[in-house]
């Protein structure tokens, strides 16, 4: 089964509050975003955002240029239903993060929680990093959150790659300046602990 069909099925078969990655509030992501992109007209994109509540938090804080991208349309529909009329303030993009033709240097902040770690093929990781570098451009920022070294080795029936903060930054390389990293203990709705690692980087001029 291809990636897109796999994720469509997951989002169609589970309530957004039942999936293991559900957070009532994306507290740490919001804190990091506000730190590096405090201006409310900063373009922010949540890549592989699914039905995450991060978009709600960004709108609550007054961000005006928010985009959510996901392979699975079903996930975005869930978020749109929750947001009701506020959904019209968001740009929704159904696409694969690896090859979506977003404009060069079009976003101030690229956010990814629990997407990059599904890229088990090194060639996909290289494509992903090139995409971030192009779409964000020099001076912009990226937040990538993956399972930490003690996290699960699989999620949603797929293998994942687990990272230390150093290992995650190494995937991005010297063109990304590591500003900070954080660990977060995420408790799934089923009561399991999933340690996450967040890296906050600035894209350097080449
Ligand atoms: C584990 S969920 C995380 C969702 C959200 N980021 C969160 O933290 O609540 C992974 C999401 O990434 C999406 N996804 C997986 N691979 C993708 C890709 N290559 N491009 C875009 N979205 C992708 C899936 O459809 C799913 O919604």
């Amino acid at each position: 089964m291809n990636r897109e069909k796999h994720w469509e099925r997951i989002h169609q078969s589970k309530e957004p509050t039942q999936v293991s990655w559900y957070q009532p509030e994306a507290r740490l992501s919001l804190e990091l975003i506000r730190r590096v992109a405090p201006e409310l007209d900063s373009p922010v994109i949540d890549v592989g955002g699914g039905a995450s509540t991060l978009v709600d938090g960004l709108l609550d804080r007054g961000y005006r240029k928010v985009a959510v991208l996901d392979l699975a349309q079903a996930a975005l529909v869930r978020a749109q239903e929750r947001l009701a009329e506020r959904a019209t303030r968001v740009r929704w993009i159904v696409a694969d993060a690896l090859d979506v033709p977003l404009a060069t240097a079009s976003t101030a902040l690229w956010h990814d929680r629990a997407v990059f770690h599904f890229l088990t093929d090194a060639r996909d990781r290289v494509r992903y990093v090139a995409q971030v570098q192009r779409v964000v451009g020099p001076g912009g920022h990226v937040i990538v959150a993956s399972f930490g070294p003690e996290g699960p080795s699989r999620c949603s029936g797929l293998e994942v790659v687990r990272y230390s903060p150093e290992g995650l930054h190494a995937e991005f390389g010297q063109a990304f300046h590591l500003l900070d990293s954080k660990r977060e203990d995420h408790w799934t709705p089923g009561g399991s602990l999933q340690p996450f690692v967040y890296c906050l980087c600035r894209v350097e001029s080449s």
Side-chain angles (χ1 to χ4, degrees), residues 3 7 11 21 48-50 52 69-72 95-97 113-115 118:
R3 266 202 271 252
W7 285 108
H11 288 292
W21 54 90
S52 166
L69 178 149
D70 205 280
L71 262 186
D96 188 325
R113 173 176 178 268
V115 187
F118 288 108

Side-chain angles (χ1 to χ4, degrees), residues 33 42-50 52 54-56 58-59 63-70 76 83 87 89-94 102 106-107 109-112 135:
I33 292 171
S42 302
V44 174
I45 186 164
D46 189 17
V47 174
S52 166
L54 175 61
V55 60
D56 309 50
L58 289 167
L59 294 177
Y63 281 89
R64 292 185 284 270
K65 295 183 183 166
V66 181
V68 183
L69 178 149
D70 205 280
L76 301 186
L83 286 165
R89 299 193 218 156
V90 177
R91 182 178 172 205
W92 303 96
I93 305 164
V94 179
L102 296 171
S106 59
T107 194
L109 189 129
W110 175 293
H111 176 272
D112 161 347
V135 174

